[in-house]
Amino acid sequence: MIMDNFKVTPWEVSGTIDYDKLIRQFGATKITDQLKARMSKAAGNDPHHMLQRDFFFSHRDLDLALNDHEKGKGFFLYTGRGPSKGMHIGHLIPLMFTKWLQDAFKVNLYIEITDDEKFLFRREYDWKEVQKNAYDNILDIAAVGFDPDRTFIFKDSEYIKNVYPLLMRTARKITGSTVKAVFGFDDSTNIGLSFYPAYQVIPAFFEQKRCLIPCAIDQDPYWKIQRDVAEGLGFVKAAAVHCKFLPPLQGITGKMSSSAGSETAILLTDDEKTVKNKINKYAFSGGQSTVEEHRRMGGNPDIDVSYQWLKILFEPDDSKLKKIHDDYKSGKMLTGELKAVLIEKINAFLKEHREARKKAEKDVDKFMYSGKLAKEMWERTYE
Ligand code: TYM
C-alpha cells in the first residue's frame, strides 16, 4: 500500500513510517492502555515490556481473543517465517512475544515456514537453497523455546498434502483483483505469488476457535483477507497483534531487513567482534559531534538507534532503562558508553541464543513430526 512518503507491504518497507496512519489505512486498531492492562492481567500479571512500551501497538480483535479465553473457549496461536539466508534479531521479536503468549495462556501454536513464498519471491534462490535456509531458520526458531507438545512447525511444501482441499476451497474465494488491491500485484507478478496468499491464510483455520497471530504490521494484509473469507468457509475471523519494526542500524525509521545488506542488521550468526564493529561503525547516534557539546547539550535518545534497541529488546528493566535515558539526555553518558552497553547486551543475548540453538537440534523433530501436536497434525487432513 503506498501512502504519503512511505510504503509498507509484506515484501517491501521504505520511507519514514507513520504508524498511526498505517494502522488507519490497514483498518487495524491501536492497543489502548486498558487493553494492555487486561492482557497483562489475563497473562498472570506478568506484563511483557514490548507491550508495555507500545512496541506491540496495534491489533485486530485482541479483545475478542481475551473474551474467548475468559469464557473458557480459548484461542490458538499462529505465526511464521519466510526462510532466508540468516535471520536477524528483528525476526526473533514476534517469536519471543509468541513464546510469552504460549507460556502465559498454555495454548497450541502453529508456525508456518513459507519455503514456497520465498522461492516465488526471491528469484536468486533455487529450491535446494531455500530448503537449506528453511532448516537453518527452523533451528533458530526452535531455540526460542516453545512447548514441544503444543507447537507444530511445518514447511508449506511438506504439509500441503494434508491441507490441499482446504487450500482449494480458500483459493476459490480470493480473486485476482483482491490480491492486486491488497498486495499491489500487477500483470508482471508471477502467478505463484498471486496464489500464495491463500496458503498463508489457512493456518488460521487449523482449529475451530479464534486464532491469534503475533507478527509485525507488514503481515496484516493477509489477515484482512483471512477475515473476509473466514466465516463463509465456516471458520472464525482471526485476531492479530502487531509490532512495529526493529529499525536498521542506520536510523530509527524503516525496517531491519535481511535483504538490505548485512551492515544494516545484526544477524543471529554475528560473532562478538562483528557486533562490536557494526554498532560502533554504523549505529545511528543521537549524540552531539564533540564530547564538550555532548556534555553541555546532551544526546537525543528518541533518534538514537542504540537507545531504541535497548528500549525495544535488550533492556527489559524499566529503572535501568530510565537511568540510561536520563544520563544520555543530560550528557552524563556519552555515545561510546551507550554503545558499549548495547554491545554487551547483544553479545550476551546472541551467546545465549547460540547455546539454545545447539540444544534445539534435538527438539526439531518434536516440533515438526513427533511431538504431541505435530503427531496429531500429521494424522489430520483439512477439507
Ligand atoms: P518474514 O520471514 O519476512 O518475517 C518473519 C516475522 O518477522 C517480522 N519481522 C520483523 N519484526 C520486527 N522487526 C523487523 N525489522 C522485522 N522484519 C520482519 C515479520 O512481520 C514476521 O512476523 N510471509 C511471512 C511468513 C509467514 C508469517 C505467517 C509471518 C507466514 N505465516 C504468520 C507472521 C505470521 C514472512 O515472509 O515473514
Side-chain angles (χ1 to χ4, degrees):
M1 224 160 266
I2 302 169
M3 286 154 288
D4 304 275
N5 55 348
F6 65 94
K7 184 175 178 184
V8 175
T9 77
W11 299 284
E12 191 190 344
V13 173
S14 59
T16 303
I17 304 161
D18 180 333
Y19 285 104
D20 285 336
K21 259 192 197 161
L22 184 61
I23 56 177
R24 271 202 304 278
Q25 189 77 25
F26 278 175
T29 310
K30 209 166 178 167
I31 298 178
T32 59
D33 286 347
Q34 199 192 8
L35 185 55
K36 263 198 264 181
R38 203 178 148 204
M39 177 87 171
S40 303
K41 191 161 166 246
N45 290 320
D46 168 31
H48 195 289
H49 70 279
M50 291 183 198
L51 187 63
Q52 294 311 110
R53 295 176 188 167
D54 299 321
F55 191 65
F56 274 84
F57 74 115
S58 148
H59 76 105
R60 286 179 185 266
D61 287 352
L62 179 57
D63 47 340
L64 299 189
L66 290 178
N67 289 352
D68 288 351
H69 167 72
E70 279 157 16
K71 283 190 212 134
K73 274 198 228 163
F75 61 82
F76 67 99
L77 294 164
Y78 157 46
T79 194
R81 162 78 183 136
S84 68
K85 195 154 182 272
M87 281 171 63
H88 60 63
I89 51 175
H91 290 133
L92 284 186
I93 287 181
L95 293 162
M96 291 163 70
F97 194 69
T98 303
K99 175 180 159 54
W100 175 73
L101 288 167
Q102 187 182 48
D103 288 349
F105 293 96
K106 309 269 178 291
V107 289
N108 286 345
L109 161 65
Y110 302 88
I111 304 182
E112 179 181 32
I113 306 297
T114 59
D115 53 344
D116 48 354
E117 175 192 21
K118 260 290 131 75
F119 177 77
L120 291 163
F121 184 67
R122 296 284 293 271
R123 284 175 180 271
E124 69 272 28
Y125 287 152
D126 64 24
W127 187 256
K128 258 202 187 132
E129 193 175 0
V130 173
Q131 299 311 314
K132 199 168 133 263
N133 293 341
Y135 181 70
D136 173 81
N137 288 192
I138 288 169
L139 283 180
D140 284 318
I141 293 168
V144 174
F146 300 108
D147 178 344
D149 281 323
R150 285 201 178 101
T151 304
F152 179 44
I153 304 181
F154 64 99
K155 230 172 23 177
D156 280 350
S157 61
E158 264 187 24
Y159 199 59
I160 188 150
K161 63 177 195 292
N162 294 55
V163 294
Y164 201 61
L166 174 61
L167 188 51
M168 290 300 104
R169 250 191 340 125
T170 306
R172 204 158 70 168
K173 295 245 177 216
I174 305 171
T175 64
S177 59
T178 297
V179 292
K180 274 187 185 170
V182 173
F183 298 105
F185 292 159
D186 59 29
D187 288 345
S188 69
T189 306
N190 71 60
I191 59 169
L193 268 183
S194 301
F195 169 73
Y196 165 75
Y199 208 157
Q200 181 153 336
V201 156
I202 60 163
F205 302 148
F206 278 179
E207 295 187 21
Q208 278 290 359
K209 44 171 105 150
R210 199 177 307 278
C211 170
L212 172 62
I213 310 171
C215 58
I217 185 83
D218 60 334
Q219 300 297 312
D220 185 68
Y222 290 105
W223 320 138
K224 187 178 161 10
I225 295 182
Q226 193 277 352
R227 291 165 59 85
D228 284 348
V229 301
E231 288 173 348
L233 290 163
F235 298 100
V236 184
K237 285 184 179 180
V241 54
H242 309 124
C243 64
K244 300 176 186 169
F245 302 115
L246 184 72
L249 280 162
Q250 280 69 11
I252 54 143
T253 62
K255 168 190 167 189
M256 179 178 286
S257 144
S258 24
S259 51
S262 79
E263 73 286 357
T264 64
I266 297 291
L267 303 179
L268 299 182
T269 47
D270 283 345
D271 61 19
E272 294 196 357
K273 219 172 127 203
T274 309
V275 169
K276 190 172 174 198
N277 288 342
K278 280 188 182 176
I279 301 295
N280 281 334
K281 194 160 169 197
Y282 300 115
F284 184 83
S285 164
Q288 307 297 338
S289 42
T290 65
V291 172
E292 291 69 38
E293 257 179 50
H294 190 88
R295 293 279 186 226
R296 191 160 41 82
M297 295 161 68
N300 181 356
D302 295 340
I303 58 161
D304 189 287
V305 168
S306 303
Y307 176 76
Q308 291 301 321
W309 283 15
L310 287 169
K311 181 175 169 191
I312 294 164
L313 186 55
F314 294 107
E315 185 47 272
D317 184 318
D318 286 338
S319 57
K320 285 187 186 157
L321 186 75
K322 184 171 184 315
K323 184 162 172 22
I324 293 171
H325 177 275
D326 294 352
D327 286 354
Y328 191 58
K329 203 164 175 174
S330 71
K332 191 171 161 199
M333 180 182 240
L334 299 173
T335 295
E337 291 164 339
L338 174 60
K339 286 190 173 188
V341 172
L342 179 68
I343 291 166
E344 203 185 310
K345 289 271 179 190
I346 297 179
N347 279 331
F349 177 90
L350 289 181
K351 183 166 179 271
E352 213 175 284
H353 179 78
R354 274 191 291 270
E355 286 163 9
R357 185 183 146 107
K358 192 94 209 78
K359 286 203 195 109
E361 277 173 28
K362 66 169 190 344
D363 291 328
V364 169
D365 190 70
K366 283 193 209 144
F367 288 129
M368 297 188 76
Y369 309 107
S370 63
K372 187 169 171 289
L373 182 63
K375 257 201 203 140
E376 277 170 30
M377 290 304 285
W378 282 107
E379 279 160 18
R380 191 174 299 168
T381 50
Y382 287 91
E383 290 181 4

